[in-house]
Amino acid sequence: MESSRRGGRREALGPCHSYSVSRPAPFILGNDVCDRFATAGFGANLITYLTQQLHLPLVDASNLLNNFGGTSSLTPILGALAADSFAGRFWTIIAGSVFYQLGMLGLVVSALLPSLRPPPCPAAPGGPACRRAAGWQLGVLYLSLLCTSLGSGGLRPCVVAFGTDQFDQPPEQQQKKTSSGAAEAVAERKRRYFNLYFFTMGVAALLAVTVVVYIQDNVGWGWGFGIPAVAMFVSIVVFLVGYPLYVRLKPGGSPFTRLAQVAAAAFRKRNVAAPEDAGKLYQDRELDALISTNGRLLHTDQLAFLDRAAIVTPGDISASGQPDLWRLSTVHRVEELKSIVRMLPIWSAGILLATAGSHNGTFTIMQARSMDRRVAGRFEIPAASMSIFGTAATLVSLALYDRALVPLARRATGLPSGITYFQRMGVGLAISILGVAAAALVEAKRRTAAAAHGLLDDPDATVPLSVFWLVPQFAVHGVAGAFSSVGHMEFLYDQAPESMRSTAAALFWLAGSIGHYLGTALVTAVQRATRGRGEWLQDNINRGRIDSYYWLVTCLMVLNLGYYIVCFHFYTMKPLEMEEEQDDRDKECELSSINKNSASAGGLV
């Protein structure tokens, strides 16, 4: 049995016929928790595995992790394409989970079999150098990481969008007039869902970087990778159990094909004069029904060149009345492409944020390994577990954001959300600058302490400086993420065309992908530029100048914040047409326009 929703886009929900988000939410969030626990548990300490077990040089290991992070954030584009085109979000999540499970099993096998690792380093000082992992041993690692990257491609773009699908109204309510109060209530629930999504991810990551990292450092890598693999299996089971309760929206066809059709049609008609009256551009409600269930996008004046795709010329429409979509597009489809193009400048501001955060899993861990990590007696906090302070700061910030900041800001701005997602992103970008600057100051202090105690040429010695000096940079970075990451995701979800929500989530991860690749390029460029002139990045971090690298990143982040403010100033919100059957008229509603206008009046941050 299927229920119709303007063309039958919604699938039957199963025997329960429940549209309440409260019923499927535990299964989706339970899957999130297990998935994030597995991801963080295997990734948080991977730099130690690469340098201590596979004996890779620091720069090589750092670049490998940056490239892996970049690939894992790039594959979501493929996952979004599959989900929006033919597979749907549910089955894309399942496929991604299976691939991720296979990759984690490969890492477990690699950690358990001695033949898949190089022999341990000689214990005697002055002995032969540590043997680096052979090519075929690294090949097993690369294949496992590739599987996890493909798995990320199915999970990352779909989990958030699939969760927000559960808020959709039933078909019978879609046919009724929707009050502004009801729409605001739905928007508020979705905003809270975004916060809850990042909060649950933080809780799982916090558990992983404490328990799993401790096991990896003190029990063994087999158990350290095995426990996240079991958690990943549990996440698949939990997600499948909720199958009868889920709202499963049918895919509306490849969004990339539609975008290509608009671009091709506009280029074909580049010499055709555009009409002065936008009402003469091609419209087709029936054709757009499957991709505009919440309302069609209205015409905007920006990027007017693309409007030529909606100009009707001889030969565009067949005798049967069907348009040739490579020659003619509707206004709605043209505006889909315009929306994506308008989003790109603000979206790109998140790239450097990922670049700045990429060193937290590489250089910062190596710094922590060289510092005094004693907590009580003989207990030493694992270097990779220092990220718990960043995760804890994120969790506290998300809790306070909803419970304290939003109510206070609401009184001042009158907005249900307190502040706009534009302001939230801007605050996060500004705070992240402080985090990188703090990292530079602490590294300078650590290096000074190493020099004062004659340890510059002894990279394995413990510098007499407490590892808790690293807490501020982790905490500030965590607070920045609570603002920028959630705001970034909200912006992409709200401003993306309705039929491209998975693609919007993929754009969030794509920014991270480019940021990681940029981190690799920046590390390589710095290493080459400083080689022979006080090399900044080297295996002996006591002789290196990681603090100078951090100051370079800080300067780039300041420029990035200025770029974001300029992009915000010129951004135009997407306009949406809402149908009201009471008077059978079309009402123009610009989504979140009050947010944009309020931000413009009161300043960005």
Side-chain angles (χ1 to χ4, degrees):
M1 167 181 173
E2 290 191 0
S3 56
S4 62
R5 185 187 178 200
R6 286 203 199 173
R9 191 174 176 215
R10 178 187 297 276
E11 293 183 3
L13 297 182
C16 296
H17 296 284
S18 172
Y19 292 88
S20 173
V21 73
S22 61
R23 299 189 66 181
F27 299 101
I28 298 174
L29 293 178
N31 170 266
D32 278 349
V33 169
C34 295
D35 167 42
R36 183 60 177 172
F37 176 82
T39 305
F42 115 86
N45 206 20
L46 199 54
I47 185 69
T48 301
Y49 183 75
L50 295 177
T51 56
Q52 302 295 318
Q53 298 294 315
L54 299 184
H55 308 152
L56 296 183
L58 175 60
V59 171
D60 290 353
S62 173
N63 284 344
L64 190 155
L65 289 183
N66 278 333
N67 290 336
F68 165 63
T71 303
S72 297
S73 298
L74 183 62
T75 52
I77 291 293
L78 301 178
L81 177 61
D84 287 339
S85 301
F86 59 89
R89 293 179 185 124
F90 176 84
W91 292 111
T92 304
I93 292 173
I94 293 297
S97 299
V98 171
F99 270 104
Y100 208 103
Q101 182 75 79
L102 292 175
M104 299 204 70
L105 290 177
L107 288 171
V108 172
V109 172
S110 177
L112 289 176
L113 296 182
S115 60
L116 295 178
R117 303 189 309 277
C121 294
C130 298
R131 185 188 304 174
R132 176 173 171 158
W136 67 272
Q137 292 171 329
L138 290 175
V140 174
L141 173 72
Y142 294 155
L143 182 60
S144 300
L145 294 180
L146 177 61
C147 285
T148 60
S149 293
L150 292 175
S152 297
L155 292 169
R156 291 181 175 180
C158 297
V159 171
V160 176
F162 188 70
T164 54
D165 287 346
Q166 312 310 307
F167 291 94
D168 283 348
Q169 295 175 324
E172 58 271 16
Q173 291 186 14
Q174 285 285 332
Q175 297 174 0
K176 298 178 181 180
K177 179 179 178 180
T178 303
S179 67
S180 60
E184 288 181 1
V186 171
E188 176 67 12
R189 287 196 295 270
K190 289 187 177 183
R191 185 189 65 80
R192 289 181 177 273
Y193 172 77
F194 282 118
N195 271 359
L196 184 60
Y197 169 77
F198 281 93
F199 186 86
T200 54
M201 287 203 308
V203 170
L206 187 64
L207 184 62
V209 297
T210 51
V211 177
V212 176
V213 169
Y214 180 83
I215 292 174
Q216 290 171 347
D217 281 354
N218 297 278
V219 178
W221 288 95
W223 281 104
F225 286 149
I227 292 175
V230 172
M232 192 70 217
F233 178 77
V234 172
S235 76
I236 299 175
V237 174
V238 169
F239 189 67
L240 285 173
V241 168
Y243 178 81
L245 303 177
Y246 297 140
V247 172
R248 302 182 299 278
L249 302 182
K250 290 183 177 180
S254 171
F256 295 102
T257 299
R258 292 198 303 275
L259 299 182
Q261 288 171 338
V262 172
F267 181 77
R268 181 190 296 268
K269 300 174 182 177
R270 59 189 180 278
N271 296 322
V272 177
E276 295 183 2
D277 182 6
K280 296 180 179 179
L281 297 175
Y282 183 65
Q283 302 268 12
D284 192 328
R285 289 181 180 273
E286 184 177 353
L287 180 63
D288 293 334
L290 195 62
I291 57 174
S292 59
T293 56
N294 290 331
R296 294 184 302 165
L297 294 172
L298 296 172
H299 177 265
T300 58
D301 294 329
Q302 291 82 17
L303 303 170
F305 169 80
L306 296 175
D307 290 338
R308 288 176 169 81
I311 299 174
V312 181
T313 58
D316 288 349
I317 302 177
S318 65
S320 62
Q322 295 298 317
D324 180 352
L325 295 179
W326 290 99
R327 294 174 56 93
L328 180 64
S329 296
T330 63
V331 170
H332 175 83
R333 295 174 183 234
V334 171
E335 291 300 322
E336 280 188 325
L337 180 55
K338 287 185 180 183
S339 295
I340 295 296
V341 173
R342 284 196 297 260
M343 290 166 55
L344 291 180
I346 288 183
W347 159 81
S348 65
I351 293 175
L352 265 181
L353 192 65
T355 301
S358 64
H359 60 251
N360 282 337
T362 53
F363 298 139
T364 306
I365 292 180
M366 300 309 294
Q367 292 171 253
R369 291 185 67 87
S370 72
M371 300 171 75
D372 183 3
R373 293 181 281 125
R374 290 175 298 178
V375 178
R378 295 184 177 180
F379 177 76
E380 288 189 349
I381 182 173
S385 291
M386 289 301 296
S387 59
I388 63 175
F389 297 103
T391 305
T394 299
L395 296 178
V396 172
S397 299
L398 289 173
L400 292 178
Y401 184 87
D402 263 340
R403 301 296 180 182
L405 178 61
V406 170
L408 289 175
R410 188 180 291 150
R411 296 175 185 174
T413 65
L415 298 175
S417 59
I419 61 176
T420 70
Y421 44 66
F422 292 108
Q423 293 168 326
R424 189 169 186 172
M425 289 172 62
V427 170
L429 291 174
I431 294 176
S432 66
I433 297 173
L434 302 178
V436 184
L441 294 173
V442 172
E443 171 56 16
K445 184 176 182 64
R446 188 202 66 82
R447 189 171 178 273
T448 300
H453 291 82
L455 301 176
L456 289 181
D457 295 313
D458 190 0
D460 296 327
T462 299
V463 177
L465 183 69
S466 174
V467 74
F468 292 102
W469 277 94
L470 297 175
V471 170
Q473 67 192 65
F474 277 107
V476 173
H477 185 76
V479 174
F483 281 87
S484 59
S485 295
V486 181
H488 202 189
M489 182 69 82
E490 281 188 281
F491 162 72
L492 293 171
Y493 184 87
D494 183 62
Q495 290 300 297
E498 172 194 339
S499 62
M500 301 179 68
R501 294 282 164 77
S502 294
T503 304
L507 284 175
F508 175 83
W509 296 108
L510 180 61
S513 170
I514 299 174
H516 279 92
Y517 287 131
L518 184 59
T520 298
L522 187 60
V523 167
T524 303
V526 168
Q527 185 190 32
R528 291 179 179 176
T530 61
R531 184 174 296 158
R533 297 189 295 273
E535 190 171 353
W536 288 6
L537 307 175
Q538 52 182 285
D539 292 342
N540 181 2
I541 62 174
N542 294 339
R543 280 289 182 186
R545 294 302 305 268
I546 297 179
D547 55 329
S548 298
Y549 172 81
Y550 288 156
W551 283 121
L552 174 62
V553 175
T554 301
C555 294
L556 294 176
M557 291 298 296
V558 171
L559 295 176
N560 188 58
L561 177 60
Y563 165 77
Y564 171 77
I565 294 175
V566 171
C567 293
F568 161 78
H569 179 74
F570 290 101
Y571 185 74
T572 300
M573 306 292 285
K574 72 173 185 182
L576 189 68
E577 170 191 84
M578 304 294 291
E579 284 194 4
E580 294 188 3
E581 295 197 2
Q582 182 180 13
D583 55 5
D584 197 27
R585 292 180 300 174
D586 293 337
K587 177 182 179 181
E588 178 176 338
C589 173
E590 189 169 290
L591 287 185
S592 307
S593 58
I594 184 173
N595 295 351
K596 178 69 162 66
N597 293 338
S598 298
S600 298
L604 179 62
V605 293

